[in-house]
Amino acid sequence: MTDLYAVVGNPIAHSKSPLIHRLFAEQTDQDLVYEALLIDTEDTTFQFAISDLIARGYRGINITVPFKLDAFELADELSSRAEVAHAVNTFSFKNGQISGDNTDGIGLVTDIEENAGRPFKDKKVLILGAGGAVQGIMQPLLEKQPGLVHIANRTAKRAEVLGNRFETDIPITTSDWVNIPDNTFDIIINGTSASLEGKLPPINPTVLGQNSLVYDMMYSAEPTVFMQWAQQNQPSCQVRDGLGMLVGQAAEAFYIWRGVRPETQKVIDEVRRLIQP
């Protein structure tokens, strides 16, 4: 019996998760099918869509924009990292129960530290956005002991609420876009979904240093508009999209579901090759 999995979101047509999980399944000899499914909230609710997938025999799903906070509310039980994140990107279905987890943070931290070779320890980090995607990365990032973290968001209050959630000796400051501190940061992470629409967070390029790593959690075949903006304003900075994070978080979800941890670098390279125009 082939096991069924999926990723749900809106938009979802761009998702490479089905390709990634197919490559994982081939690599580890697992019998499964993984699909990308659109949830249109004009036609249904997130809760009804998930109930329908459970009724149809799905074993688990990944959750992407904009449903990670809905998933947190819907889960019957949560992992410790999902509880801290207040966001869920992975559901497991068993005996009528929905177990929620969050693998985003592990995916991001591993990609930046191991694949990009940029340790967080003692570094100044700027995070753009305060939604579900950012909530998922905060705890694993803070565990890497950065020197300071500044969270900027369209509404300052939402950034402040997120920053206040974590008990840590690491300085966490927050602001809206306009009041980001006027100094350079070592690592700048775009956790907004603006790149999906070809848009930019309205921030000042003075945050860019010559050796900054500029990281967009979104990804595409071409450099995202955020990566292009960074290189136009600071040509020597290092830019990176979120494909490595995507593969890393997918590998963790695959391990939760199947008990097998796939090797990721070959999959990153293969997906990068296949998405080139």
Side-chain angles (χ1 to χ4, degrees), residues 78-183:
L78 296 164
S79 69
S80 58
R81 54 194 178 191
E83 284 183 345
V84 171
H86 283 210
V88 163
N89 78 333
T90 303
F91 273 165
S92 302
F93 306 135
K94 193 171 184 180
N95 300 327
Q97 292 286 103
I98 303 174
S99 299
D101 206 333
N102 193 306
T103 65
D104 282 334
I106 291 175
L108 175 112
V109 167
T110 300
D111 192 42
I112 289 178
E113 291 211 324
E114 296 183 13
N115 298 335
R118 300 292 293 262
F120 281 100
K121 187 167 175 58
D122 298 328
K123 297 298 190 292
K124 294 182 292 182
V125 180
L126 171 62
I127 300 175
L128 306 176
V134 170
Q135 293 179 38
I137 69 172
M138 283 295 296
Q139 187 66 32
L141 189 157
L142 291 169
E143 288 172 358
K144 295 299 181 178
Q145 297 291 305
L148 67 87
V149 174
H150 184 85
I151 307 169
N153 191 58
R154 182 176 56 84
T155 53
K157 184 64 178 177
R158 190 170 185 180
E160 181 184 357
V161 168
L162 177 58
N164 287 340
R165 187 184 303 160
F166 300 93
E167 293 184 14
T168 176
D169 294 331
I170 296 159
I172 300 177
T173 55
T174 62
S175 72
D176 57 14
W177 301 133
V178 175
N179 294 298
I180 295 172
D182 192 19
N183 53 267

Side-chain angles (χ1 to χ4, degrees), residues 180-191:
I180 295 172
D182 192 19
N183 53 267
T184 61
F185 290 84
D186 301 302
I187 298 173
I188 300 167
I189 299 169
N190 182 14

